[in-house]
Amino acid sequence: MASEDISKLADSLAKTQVGDGELSFKGRGLKLNDAEAAEEIVKEIEAFSGLQALRLEGNTIGVQAAEAIAKALRNKKDLEKCYWSDMFTGRLRSEIPPALISLGEALISAGACLTELDLSDNAFGPDGVRGIEDLLKSTSCFTLRELRLNNCGMGVGGGKILAAALIECHQRSSEQGTPLRLKVFVAGRNRLESEGATALSRAFKLMGSLEEIHMPQNGITHSGVTALANALQDNPHLRVINLNDNTFTSKGAKSMAQGLKDLRNLEVINFGDCLIRSEGAIALAETLKEGLPSLKELNLSFGEIAEKAAVKVASAMQHKLQLEKLDLNGNCLGEEGCESLKELMKSFNLDEILGSLSDDDGEPDEDEEKVEEEEEEEEEEEEEEEEEEEERNIISSPAPQTSTTMPCTSVVDVSAFLAFPTAEKLMKLGPNRAMLIQQEVNVTDADKTTQVFLKIASLYKDGDNIKESVLMCVDTLLRKAFNSPSFQKEQFMSSLLILLGLIKQSEDKLKPVHVVPGHLLTLEHVVRQDYFPKQQISILLVFFSRPNQIMESCSSAHLTLKETLENLDPGS
């Protein structure tokens, strides 16, 4: 073998991690467009005897490359774990389903019995769910224990397809005497909404084997929460339930309180940022007081809970011997309420378990509470009317939409909009565009949040209804970000200045954008909002006061922003 070939092989082996039946190409950043590009991976898969786990995450795989890899997998009957998250970056949506179908068919052909399947962070939408539909129904998934589909953009349609596939898998496996017993289900940030959650709840109820359910940031409202609560009752081994950043309202929270009552193995409850409100918190407190003996963590942060309800929740913790964390931050306790809560937890010798209350929103006044109650009632009435209308449409329709019917192709997917934003795509997202974009973005990632902000801002067009939509989307996103305790405000500012070309970065992680007036005019709007930290205004003023060639093409917008910053600057 030539020394050059030996060097290449050594380099390949150094990058490829092998051990305990696992072959890993994780994070290699490989761009595999065709069979030739995938040749190295194919050879190593073929040569690996007793392959049990394959990691392909952090690469980008095209249709032809996927077919080549699939061919190598056709005799890997021992394969149990497929870690295939984030492996379609930069691919067209149309490429992903055939790639997934090829890989799935290979697993079925090999007679593999999967225990773990992770396809998270692949923005494949409902079409992608169709790509794994046959696999999920097959004997290869009768043994599945963990299914992770976080941040895949499935939408309502994808959620329904997934639910139908899981139900069919359970039925087929039960007929063979080995019913599907899924333990871990992860599907956060998928825009499932209540319809998708309700469909999945039927699958959960049927399986009855779940130990962990993670479905944060899905736009699920009270009807979907109620459906999930009913399903939880049939999953007695449940240890973790994470529904963070959905919209329970008190109605959904009351249903959930009933659903949790008999779950003696439950250890972690995350209902943070779920708008459970005081009535919902009181209902949960009753459940906490009577049951849930194994509870270790409870997150009811940012739920508009007042002092009286928070005290009831805390009182219910008194005899929770395994409790490690109670999070009631960001609620409406007021200064005295926070102190009362701390004293109460101290009297239980649980003061170290109580999380920070630094983001408390202060006591709500009676008028605010009344308005909130009225708004909640209106929201619930509107949702119920929409559900009734949908039922009427289904009944009267000569060709009813089934669970596998694809959503209307005229609707633009959020991930597609963010990949190539245009004003037309923004408007096609519909009236819920602001909420859809907010749910798509992980605001704990300050760099990503900044990039999305500038993408939306670039569409700003004065004197047009697009302007209103742009500002609404930006406000919804940034209000969420700046109000989140985990959001890195300083990193946001650094990223913003780097992307606008006002400061240089030490590493080439962020590529500066082509600055247009919309960026500056949208920023001018943002700095005037109550969510924007006023201490950052002085920093912006320093940089926007300096001469900069980048701003010459946007001189009018630059001047408007600068004048606003000068007026707002506390040091001026």
Side-chain angles (χ1 to χ4, degrees), residues 166-228:
L166 291 173
I167 289 171
E168 186 167 338
C169 181
H170 184 271
Q171 290 171 341
R172 287 182 178 182
S173 57
S174 297
E175 289 169 3
Q176 294 193 15
T178 56
L180 172 64
R181 296 189 59 79
L182 194 67
K183 291 184 177 181
V184 177
F185 179 82
V186 181
R189 301 183 67 226
N190 269 293
R191 305 189 308 281
L192 295 169
E193 300 181 10
S194 289
E195 280 187 78
T198 299
L200 285 164
S201 69
R202 298 187 190 106
F204 297 167
K205 192 176 184 72
L206 189 63
M207 290 185 290
S209 55
L210 286 163
E211 296 180 10
E212 295 185 26
I213 297 174
H214 302 265
M215 297 173 67
Q217 289 186 306
N218 268 299
I220 305 170
T221 55
H222 74 87
S223 61
V225 172
T226 298
L228 289 170

Short mmCIF file of all heavy atoms in Angstrom, two decimals, residues 166-228:
data_model
loop_
_atom_site.label_atom_id
_atom_site.label_comp_id
_atom_site.label_asym_id
_atom_site.label_seq_id
_atom_site.Cartn_x
_atom_site.Cartn_y
_atom_site.Cartn_z
N LEU A 166 -47.48 4.77 14.36
CA LEU A 166 -47.24 4.15 15.66
C LEU A 166 -48.39 3.23 16.07
O LEU A 166 -48.17 2.15 16.62
CB LEU A 166 -47.01 5.23 16.73
CG LEU A 166 -45.72 6.04 16.61
CD1 LEU A 166 -45.70 7.17 17.62
CD2 LEU A 166 -44.49 5.14 16.78
N ILE A 167 -49.61 3.67 15.79
CA ILE A 167 -50.78 2.85 16.11
C ILE A 167 -50.76 1.56 15.31
O ILE A 167 -51.01 0.47 15.85
CB ILE A 167 -52.08 3.66 15.86
CG1 ILE A 167 -52.23 4.75 16.92
CG2 ILE A 167 -53.30 2.73 15.86
CD1 ILE A 167 -53.35 5.74 16.63
N GLU A 168 -50.44 1.67 14.00
CA GLU A 168 -50.39 0.46 13.17
C GLU A 168 -49.26 -0.46 13.61
O GLU A 168 -49.42 -1.69 13.62
CB GLU A 168 -50.22 0.85 11.70
CG GLU A 168 -50.30 -0.36 10.77
CD GLU A 168 -50.45 0.01 9.31
OE1 GLU A 168 -50.89 1.14 9.02
OE2 GLU A 168 -50.11 -0.84 8.46
N CYS A 169 -48.12 0.13 13.99
CA CYS A 169 -47.00 -0.68 14.48
C CYS A 169 -47.42 -1.45 15.74
O CYS A 169 -47.11 -2.64 15.88
CB CYS A 169 -45.80 0.21 14.79
SG CYS A 169 -44.34 -0.68 15.38
N HIS A 170 -48.13 -0.78 16.63
CA HIS A 170 -48.58 -1.44 17.85
C HIS A 170 -49.56 -2.57 17.53
O HIS A 170 -49.48 -3.67 18.13
CB HIS A 170 -49.23 -0.42 18.80
CG HIS A 170 -49.62 -1.00 20.12
ND1 HIS A 170 -50.85 -1.58 20.35
CD2 HIS A 170 -48.93 -1.12 21.28
CE1 HIS A 170 -50.92 -2.01 21.59
NE2 HIS A 170 -49.76 -1.75 22.18
N GLN A 171 -50.45 -2.33 16.60
CA GLN A 171 -51.44 -3.35 16.24
C GLN A 171 -50.75 -4.57 15.62
O GLN A 171 -51.04 -5.71 15.99
CB GLN A 171 -52.47 -2.76 15.27
CG GLN A 171 -53.39 -1.74 15.92
CD GLN A 171 -54.26 -1.00 14.92
OE1 GLN A 171 -53.98 -0.97 13.73
NE2 GLN A 171 -55.34 -0.39 15.41
N ARG A 172 -49.83 -4.33 14.68
CA ARG A 172 -49.14 -5.44 14.02
C ARG A 172 -48.27 -6.22 15.01
O ARG A 172 -48.25 -7.46 14.99
CB ARG A 172 -48.25 -4.89 12.89
CG ARG A 172 -49.00 -4.42 11.67
CD ARG A 172 -48.00 -3.96 10.60
NE ARG A 172 -48.65 -3.53 9.37
CZ ARG A 172 -47.99 -3.13 8.29
NH1 ARG A 172 -46.67 -3.09 8.30
NH2 ARG A 172 -48.63 -2.75 7.20
N SER A 173 -47.54 -5.48 15.84
CA SER A 173 -46.66 -6.16 16.80
C SER A 173 -47.46 -6.93 17.84
O SER A 173 -47.04 -8.00 18.29
CB SER A 173 -45.74 -5.14 17.48
OG SER A 173 -46.49 -4.13 18.14
N SER A 174 -48.62 -6.41 18.22
CA SER A 174 -49.48 -7.11 19.18
C SER A 174 -49.99 -8.42 18.61
O SER A 174 -50.12 -9.43 19.31
CB SER A 174 -50.66 -6.21 19.58
OG SER A 174 -50.21 -5.06 20.25
N GLU A 175 -50.30 -8.41 17.31
CA GLU A 175 -50.78 -9.63 16.64
C GLU A 175 -49.72 -10.73 16.68
O GLU A 175 -50.05 -11.92 16.67
CB GLU A 175 -51.16 -9.32 15.19
CG GLU A 175 -52.43 -8.49 15.07
CD GLU A 175 -52.66 -7.96 13.66
OE1 GLU A 175 -51.83 -8.29 12.76
OE2 GLU A 175 -53.64 -7.23 13.44
N GLN A 176 -48.43 -10.31 16.75
CA GLN A 176 -47.34 -11.29 16.81
C GLN A 176 -46.92 -11.59 18.24
O GLN A 176 -45.93 -12.29 18.48
CB GLN A 176 -46.15 -10.80 16.00
CG GLN A 176 -46.43 -10.71 14.50
CD GLN A 176 -45.16 -10.53 13.68
OE1 GLN A 176 -44.05 -10.74 14.16
NE2 GLN A 176 -45.32 -10.15 12.42
N GLY A 177 -47.66 -11.03 19.20
CA GLY A 177 -47.38 -11.31 20.61
C GLY A 177 -46.25 -10.50 21.19
O GLY A 177 -45.80 -10.77 22.32
N THR A 178 -45.77 -9.48 20.46
CA THR A 178 -44.68 -8.62 20.97
C THR A 178 -45.08 -7.15 20.79
O THR A 178 -44.52 -6.45 19.94
CB THR A 178 -43.36 -8.89 20.21
OG1 THR A 178 -43.62 -8.72 18.79
CG2 THR A 178 -42.86 -10.28 20.47
N PRO A 179 -46.06 -6.67 21.53
CA PRO A 179 -46.57 -5.30 21.33
C PRO A 179 -45.49 -4.23 21.50
O PRO A 179 -44.61 -4.35 22.35
CB PRO A 179 -47.65 -5.16 22.40
CG PRO A 179 -47.34 -6.19 23.42
CD PRO A 179 -46.71 -7.33 22.68
N LEU A 180 -45.54 -3.24 20.63
CA LEU A 180 -44.63 -2.09 20.71
C LEU A 180 -44.70 -1.47 22.10
O LEU A 180 -45.78 -1.13 22.59
CB LEU A 180 -45.02 -1.04 19.66
CG LEU A 180 -44.30 0.31 19.71
CD1 LEU A 180 -42.81 0.14 19.44
CD2 LEU A 180 -44.93 1.29 18.72
N ARG A 181 -43.52 -1.32 22.73
CA ARG A 181 -43.45 -0.75 24.07
C ARG A 181 -42.46 0.42 24.07
O ARG A 181 -41.38 0.34 24.65
CB ARG A 181 -43.05 -1.81 25.10
CG ARG A 181 -44.08 -2.93 25.23
CD ARG A 181 -43.77 -3.85 26.41
NE ARG A 181 -43.75 -3.13 27.67
CZ ARG A 181 -44.84 -2.75 28.34
NH1 ARG A 181 -46.04 -3.02 27.85
NH2 ARG A 181 -44.72 -2.11 29.48
N LEU A 182 -42.86 1.48 23.41
CA LEU A 182 -42.02 2.68 23.34
C LEU A 182 -41.89 3.30 24.73
O LEU A 182 -42.87 3.46 25.44
CB LEU A 182 -42.64 3.69 22.37
CG LEU A 182 -41.75 4.85 21.91
CD1 LEU A 182 -40.61 4.34 21.05
CD2 LEU A 182 -42.58 5.88 21.14
N LYS A 183 -40.64 3.64 25.10
CA LYS A 183 -40.40 4.22 26.42
C LYS A 183 -40.14 5.73 26.38
O LYS A 183 -40.57 6.45 27.26
CB LYS A 183 -39.22 3.52 27.09
CG LYS A 183 -39.49 2.07 27.47
CD LYS A 183 -38.29 1.48 28.21
CE LYS A 183 -38.58 0.06 28.67
NZ LYS A 183 -37.44 -0.52 29.41
N VAL A 184 -39.42 6.18 25.35
CA VAL A 184 -39.04 7.60 25.27
C VAL A 184 -39.55 8.19 23.95
O VAL A 184 -39.25 7.66 22.87
CB VAL A 184 -37.51 7.78 25.35
CG1 VAL A 184 -37.13 9.25 25.19
CG2 VAL A 184 -36.97 7.23 26.67
N PHE A 185 -40.31 9.27 24.05
CA PHE A 185 -40.83 9.96 22.87
C PHE A 185 -40.44 11.42 22.96
O PHE A 185 -40.78 12.12 23.93
CB PHE A 185 -42.35 9.84 22.79
CG PHE A 185 -42.94 10.55 21.59
CD1 PHE A 185 -42.95 9.95 20.35
CD2 PHE A 185 -43.46 11.83 21.71
CE1 PHE A 185 -43.48 10.60 19.24
CE2 PHE A 185 -44.00 12.49 20.62
CZ PHE A 185 -44.00 11.86 19.37
N VAL A 186 -39.71 11.91 21.95
CA VAL A 186 -39.24 13.30 21.92
C VAL A 186 -39.69 13.94 20.61
O VAL A 186 -39.35 13.47 19.52
CB VAL A 186 -37.70 13.37 22.03
CG1 VAL A 186 -37.25 14.83 22.02
CG2 VAL A 186 -37.21 12.67 23.29
N ALA A 187 -40.46 15.01 20.71
CA ALA A 187 -40.93 15.72 19.50
C ALA A 187 -41.16 17.19 19.82
O ALA A 187 -42.24 17.73 19.55
CB ALA A 187 -42.20 15.07 18.95
N GLY A 188 -40.16 17.84 20.39
CA GLY A 188 -40.29 19.27 20.68
C GLY A 188 -40.13 20.10 19.43
O GLY A 188 -39.58 19.66 18.42
N ARG A 189 -40.66 21.32 19.45
CA ARG A 189 -40.49 22.30 18.38
C ARG A 189 -40.88 21.74 17.02
O ARG A 189 -40.10 21.74 16.06
CB ARG A 189 -39.04 22.81 18.35
CG ARG A 189 -38.61 23.48 19.64
CD ARG A 189 -37.22 24.03 19.59
NE ARG A 189 -37.15 25.14 18.65
CZ ARG A 189 -36.19 25.29 17.74
NH1 ARG A 189 -35.24 24.41 17.63
NH2 ARG A 189 -36.19 26.34 16.95
N ASN A 190 -42.11 21.23 16.93
CA ASN A 190 -42.59 20.63 15.69
C ASN A 190 -43.89 21.22 15.19
O ASN A 190 -44.44 20.73 14.20
CB ASN A 190 -42.76 19.12 15.88
CG ASN A 190 -41.52 18.35 15.51
OD1 ASN A 190 -41.11 18.30 14.35
ND2 ASN A 190 -40.88 17.77 16.51
N ARG A 191 -44.43 22.25 15.87
CA ARG A 191 -45.68 22.88 15.47
C ARG A 191 -46.81 21.85 15.33
O ARG A 191 -47.60 21.89 14.38
CB ARG A 191 -45.51 23.66 14.15
CG ARG A 191 -44.39 24.68 14.20
CD ARG A 191 -44.38 25.59 12.98
NE ARG A 191 -44.39 24.86 11.73
CZ ARG A 191 -43.32 24.28 11.18
NH1 ARG A 191 -42.16 24.35 11.79
NH2 ARG A 191 -43.42 23.65 10.03
N LEU A 192 -46.87 20.93 16.27
CA LEU A 192 -47.89 19.88 16.24
C LEU A 192 -49.29 20.44 16.50
O LEU A 192 -50.28 19.90 16.00
CB LEU A 192 -47.58 18.80 17.28
CG LEU A 192 -46.30 18.00 17.03
CD1 LEU A 192 -45.97 17.15 18.26
CD2 LEU A 192 -46.46 17.12 15.80
N GLU A 193 -49.35 21.49 17.32
CA GLU A 193 -50.61 22.11 17.71
C GLU A 193 -51.52 21.07 18.36
O GLU A 193 -51.14 19.92 18.59
CB GLU A 193 -51.27 22.80 16.51
CG GLU A 193 -50.39 23.90 15.91
CD GLU A 193 -51.04 24.62 14.74
OE1 GLU A 193 -52.25 24.42 14.50
OE2 GLU A 193 -50.33 25.39 14.07
N SER A 194 -52.73 21.45 18.67
CA SER A 194 -53.63 20.56 19.40
C SER A 194 -54.05 19.35 18.58
O SER A 194 -54.20 18.24 19.12
CB SER A 194 -54.87 21.33 19.88
OG SER A 194 -54.51 22.23 20.92
N GLU A 195 -54.25 19.54 17.28
CA GLU A 195 -54.65 18.41 16.43
C GLU A 195 -53.59 17.32 16.40
O GLU A 195 -53.89 16.13 16.55
CB GLU A 195 -54.91 18.91 15.01
CG GLU A 195 -56.26 19.56 14.80
CD GLU A 195 -56.48 19.85 13.31
OE1 GLU A 195 -56.81 18.90 12.58
OE2 GLU A 195 -56.29 21.01 12.91
N GLY A 196 -52.35 17.73 16.20
CA GLY A 196 -51.26 16.75 16.17
C GLY A 196 -51.07 16.07 17.51
O GLY A 196 -50.85 14.85 17.58
N ALA A 197 -51.16 16.87 18.59
CA ALA A 197 -51.01 16.31 19.94
C ALA A 197 -52.13 15.34 20.25
O ALA A 197 -51.91 14.29 20.88
CB ALA A 197 -50.97 17.44 20.96
N THR A 198 -53.34 15.66 19.83
CA THR A 198 -54.49 14.79 20.08
C THR A 198 -54.32 13.46 19.34
O THR A 198 -54.60 12.39 19.89
CB THR A 198 -55.80 15.48 19.64
OG1 THR A 198 -55.97 16.67 20.41
CG2 THR A 198 -56.99 14.57 19.85
N ALA A 199 -53.85 13.53 18.10
CA ALA A 199 -53.61 12.30 17.33
C ALA A 199 -52.56 11.43 18.03
O ALA A 199 -52.73 10.21 18.18
CB ALA A 199 -53.16 12.65 15.92
N LEU A 200 -51.49 12.04 18.48
CA LEU A 200 -50.42 11.29 19.15
C LEU A 200 -50.88 10.73 20.49
O LEU A 200 -50.43 9.66 20.91
CB LEU A 200 -49.19 12.19 19.34
CG LEU A 200 -48.38 12.44 18.06
CD1 LEU A 200 -47.44 13.60 18.24
CD2 LEU A 200 -47.62 11.18 17.65
N SER A 201 -51.78 11.44 21.15
CA SER A 201 -52.26 10.97 22.46
C SER A 201 -52.96 9.61 22.32
O SER A 201 -52.91 8.78 23.22
CB SER A 201 -53.20 12.00 23.09
OG SER A 201 -54.42 12.08 22.38
N ARG A 202 -53.59 9.38 21.17
CA ARG A 202 -54.25 8.09 20.93
C ARG A 202 -53.21 6.97 20.88
O ARG A 202 -53.43 5.87 21.41
CB ARG A 202 -55.05 8.14 19.63
CG ARG A 202 -56.17 9.18 19.63
CD ARG A 202 -57.05 9.07 18.38
NE ARG A 202 -57.95 10.22 18.29
CZ ARG A 202 -57.80 11.23 17.45
NH1 ARG A 202 -56.79 11.24 16.60
NH2 ARG A 202 -58.66 12.23 17.42
N ALA A 203 -52.08 7.26 20.24
CA ALA A 203 -51.00 6.27 20.18
C ALA A 203 -50.41 6.05 21.58
O ALA A 203 -50.13 4.90 21.96
CB ALA A 203 -49.91 6.75 19.21
N PHE A 204 -50.22 7.12 22.33
CA PHE A 204 -49.68 7.00 23.69
C PHE A 204 -50.58 6.13 24.56
O PHE A 204 -50.12 5.28 25.32
CB PHE A 204 -49.53 8.37 24.33
CG PHE A 204 -48.57 9.30 23.64
CD1 PHE A 204 -48.54 10.66 23.95
CD2 PHE A 204 -47.67 8.84 22.68
CE1 PHE A 204 -47.67 11.52 23.33
CE2 PHE A 204 -46.79 9.69 22.05
CZ PHE A 204 -46.79 11.04 22.38
N LYS A 205 -51.86 6.38 24.46
CA LYS A 205 -52.85 5.66 25.27
C LYS A 205 -52.84 4.17 24.94
O LYS A 205 -52.92 3.31 25.81
CB LYS A 205 -54.24 6.25 25.03
CG LYS A 205 -55.32 5.81 26.01
CD LYS A 205 -56.62 6.55 25.72
CE LYS A 205 -57.68 6.19 26.76
NZ LYS A 205 -57.40 6.78 28.08
N LEU A 206 -52.71 3.88 23.65
CA LEU A 206 -52.72 2.50 23.18
C LEU A 206 -51.48 1.75 23.66
O LEU A 206 -51.57 0.60 24.13
CB LEU A 206 -52.78 2.47 21.66
CG LEU A 206 -53.02 1.13 20.96
CD1 LEU A 206 -54.39 0.58 21.36
CD2 LEU A 206 -52.92 1.29 19.46
N MET A 207 -50.30 2.39 23.57
CA MET A 207 -49.05 1.73 23.96
C MET A 207 -48.97 1.54 25.47
O MET A 207 -48.63 0.47 25.95
CB MET A 207 -47.85 2.55 23.46
CG MET A 207 -47.68 2.52 21.95
SD MET A 207 -46.19 3.35 21.37
CE MET A 207 -46.57 5.07 21.72
N GLY A 208 -49.23 2.60 26.23
CA GLY A 208 -49.24 2.51 27.69
C GLY A 208 -47.90 2.20 28.32
O GLY A 208 -47.84 1.77 29.48
N SER A 209 -46.81 2.42 27.58
CA SER A 209 -45.49 2.02 28.06
C SER A 209 -44.52 3.18 28.25
O SER A 209 -43.36 2.97 28.63
CB SER A 209 -44.87 1.03 27.06
OG SER A 209 -44.84 1.61 25.75
N LEU A 210 -44.95 4.38 27.99
CA LEU A 210 -44.03 5.53 27.97
C LEU A 210 -43.49 5.88 29.35
O LEU A 210 -44.21 5.89 30.34
CB LEU A 210 -44.73 6.75 27.36
CG LEU A 210 -44.91 6.67 25.84
CD1 LEU A 210 -45.95 7.65 25.35
CD2 LEU A 210 -43.57 6.90 25.14
N GLU A 211 -42.20 6.19 29.36
CA GLU A 211 -41.52 6.63 30.58
C GLU A 211 -41.10 8.09 30.49
O GLU A 211 -40.95 8.76 31.51
CB GLU A 211 -40.30 5.75 30.85
CG GLU A 211 -40.66 4.30 31.14
CD GLU A 211 -39.45 3.42 31.40
OE1 GLU A 211 -38.33 3.98 31.56
OE2 GLU A 211 -39.60 2.19 31.46
N GLU A 212 -40.89 8.58 29.26
CA GLU A 212 -40.53 9.99 29.06
C GLU A 212 -41.30 10.53 27.86
O GLU A 212 -41.31 9.90 26.80
CB GLU A 212 -39.03 10.16 28.81
CG GLU A 212 -38.15 9.80 29.98
CD GLU A 212 -36.68 10.12 29.70
OE1 GLU A 212 -36.42 11.03 28.88
OE2 GLU A 212 -35.82 9.45 30.28
N ILE A 213 -41.90 11.72 28.03
CA ILE A 213 -42.56 12.42 26.93
C ILE A 213 -42.03 13.86 26.92
O ILE A 213 -42.15 14.58 27.91
CB ILE A 213 -44.09 12.44 27.09
CG1 ILE A 213 -44.65 11.02 27.06
CG2 ILE A 213 -44.74 13.27 25.99
CD1 ILE A 213 -46.15 10.95 27.35
N HIS A 214 -41.45 14.24 25.80
CA HIS A 214 -40.91 15.60 25.64
C HIS A 214 -41.56 16.23 24.42
O HIS A 214 -41.27 15.86 23.28
CB HIS A 214 -39.39 15.57 25.45
CG HIS A 214 -38.64 14.91 26.56
ND1 HIS A 214 -38.08 15.62 27.61
CD2 HIS A 214 -38.37 13.60 26.81
CE1 HIS A 214 -37.49 14.79 28.44
NE2 HIS A 214 -37.64 13.55 27.97
N MET A 215 -42.44 17.20 24.64
CA MET A 215 -43.14 17.87 23.53
C MET A 215 -43.21 19.38 23.77
O MET A 215 -44.27 19.99 23.65
CB MET A 215 -44.54 17.29 23.36
CG MET A 215 -44.56 15.81 22.98
SD MET A 215 -46.20 15.07 22.99
CE MET A 215 -46.98 15.94 21.61
N PRO A 216 -42.09 20.03 24.08
CA PRO A 216 -42.11 21.49 24.30
C PRO A 216 -42.29 22.26 23.00
O PRO A 216 -42.04 21.73 21.90
CB PRO A 216 -40.74 21.77 24.93
CG PRO A 216 -39.86 20.71 24.35
CD PRO A 216 -40.73 19.48 24.24
N GLN A 217 -42.74 23.50 23.12
CA GLN A 217 -42.81 24.44 21.98
C GLN A 217 -43.54 23.86 20.77
O GLN A 217 -42.98 23.76 19.68
CB GLN A 217 -41.40 24.87 21.57
CG GLN A 217 -40.71 25.78 22.58
CD GLN A 217 -39.39 26.30 22.08
OE1 GLN A 217 -38.53 25.54 21.69
NE2 GLN A 217 -39.21 27.60 22.09
N ASN A 218 -44.79 23.50 20.97
CA ASN A 218 -45.56 22.91 19.88
C ASN A 218 -46.88 23.62 19.60
O ASN A 218 -47.67 23.15 18.79
CB ASN A 218 -45.82 21.42 20.16
CG ASN A 218 -44.75 20.54 19.57
OD1 ASN A 218 -44.52 20.52 18.37
ND2 ASN A 218 -44.04 19.83 20.44
N GLY A 219 -47.14 24.73 20.29
CA GLY A 219 -48.39 25.46 20.05
C GLY A 219 -49.62 24.66 20.47
O GLY A 219 -50.70 24.83 19.90
N ILE A 220 -49.47 23.80 21.47
CA ILE A 220 -50.58 22.97 21.95
C ILE A 220 -51.43 23.79 22.93
O ILE A 220 -50.90 24.33 23.89
CB ILE A 220 -50.07 21.70 22.65
CG1 ILE A 220 -49.14 20.92 21.71
CG2 ILE A 220 -51.23 20.82 23.09
CD1 ILE A 220 -48.39 19.78 22.40
N THR A 221 -52.71 23.87 22.68
CA THR A 221 -53.62 24.59 23.56
C THR A 221 -54.42 23.60 24.41
O THR A 221 -54.14 22.41 24.42
CB THR A 221 -54.55 25.50 22.74
OG1 THR A 221 -55.22 24.71 21.76
CG2 THR A 221 -53.76 26.60 22.02
N HIS A 222 -55.44 24.12 25.12
CA HIS A 222 -56.08 23.32 26.17
C HIS A 222 -56.69 22.02 25.67
O HIS A 222 -56.66 20.99 26.37
CB HIS A 222 -57.11 24.15 26.92
CG HIS A 222 -58.37 24.42 26.15
ND1 HIS A 222 -59.44 23.56 26.14
CD2 HIS A 222 -58.72 25.45 25.35
CE1 HIS A 222 -60.40 24.06 25.38
NE2 HIS A 222 -59.98 25.20 24.88
N SER A 223 -57.23 21.99 24.45
CA SER A 223 -57.85 20.75 23.96
C SER A 223 -56.81 19.66 23.75
O SER A 223 -57.04 18.49 24.06
CB SER A 223 -58.63 21.01 22.67
OG SER A 223 -57.76 21.48 21.64
N GLY A 224 -55.65 20.05 23.21
CA GLY A 224 -54.57 19.09 23.03
C GLY A 224 -53.98 18.64 24.36
O GLY A 224 -53.63 17.46 24.53
N VAL A 225 -53.87 19.57 25.29
CA VAL A 225 -53.37 19.24 26.64
C VAL A 225 -54.30 18.25 27.32
O VAL A 225 -53.86 17.28 27.96
CB VAL A 225 -53.22 20.52 27.49
CG1 VAL A 225 -52.88 20.18 28.94
CG2 VAL A 225 -52.15 21.44 26.90
N THR A 226 -55.60 18.47 27.16
CA THR A 226 -56.59 17.57 27.76
C THR A 226 -56.47 16.16 27.17
O THR A 226 -56.53 15.16 27.90
CB THR A 226 -58.01 18.11 27.54
OG1 THR A 226 -58.13 19.38 28.19
CG2 THR A 226 -59.06 17.17 28.08
N ALA A 227 -56.29 16.07 25.86
CA ALA A 227 -56.12 14.76 25.21
C ALA A 227 -54.87 14.05 25.73
O ALA A 227 -54.90 12.85 26.01
CB ALA A 227 -56.04 14.94 23.70
N LEU A 228 -53.78 14.80 25.87
CA LEU A 228 -52.55 14.21 26.40
C LEU A 228 -52.72 13.76 27.84
O LEU A 228 -52.24 12.69 28.24
CB LEU A 228 -51.40 15.22 26.30
CG LEU A 228 -50.87 15.52 24.90
CD1 LEU A 228 -49.91 16.70 24.93
CD2 LEU A 228 -50.17 14.29 24.31
#
